[in-house]
Amino acid sequence: MDPFAPALDALFHGPGSEAADYVTESGVQEGVRVIRSRPTADAPFGDSRIRQDTCMIDVRRSEVPAPAAGDRFLIREIDPAAQAEVLTVCIVTGDPALDVERMTWTCEAPEA
């Protein structure tokens, strides 16, 4: 057993983590746990750079062995003001990257 696995499980079930459905381009759907972040990144724009908001999703490799561009994360949340469920769809763009221990994928996945 990997010594990092229990700590990773605690992280993905702790505050800041969310339940989501992972859907491949071929339509296979599976329940996963994710951690979303929204860092600001610099993007090239002609001869200059602009700052833009991004959406990054971390997911365990044990749950998603090989994410690919075009795959989707479906995240259901409760809107406290409307007391209704809201579905957020995040589509994987680019090439997901593994962490140093090769246990977690980081996917750029902006909201659709």
Side-chain angles (χ1 to χ4, degrees):
M1 181 173 161
D2 191 314
F4 295 107
L8 195 60
D9 288 342
L11 182 67
F12 275 87
H13 284 90
S17 68
E18 304 173 271
D21 289 322
Y22 175 73
V23 183
T24 64
E25 272 197 303
S26 62
V28 176
Q29 186 167 335
E30 183 175 340
V32 298
R33 298 287 304 178
V34 299
I35 298 174
R36 258 193 303 181
S37 60
R38 293 182 175 92
T40 302
D42 289 334
F45 185 74
D47 291 336
S48 61
R49 301 184 73 69
I50 59 170
R51 296 211 120 179
Q52 65 181 23
D53 293 333
T54 61
C55 182
M56 307 299 281
I57 292 181
D58 291 338
V59 63
R60 290 178 285 188
R61 186 177 176 201
S62 62
E63 292 184 321
V64 179
D71 293 350
R72 300 177 311 241
F73 289 95
L74 310 177
I75 303 168
R76 289 175 177 77
E77 304 171 278
I78 300 296
D79 179 359
Q83 291 297 311
E85 185 176 83
V86 177
L87 177 66
T88 302
V89 178
C90 299
I91 301 174
V92 177
T93 59
D95 293 325
L98 278 171
D99 68 347
V100 174
E101 290 83 19
R102 304 184 60 78
M103 296 181 72
T104 305
W105 288 105
T106 299
C107 307
E108 185 172 351
E111 294 179 10

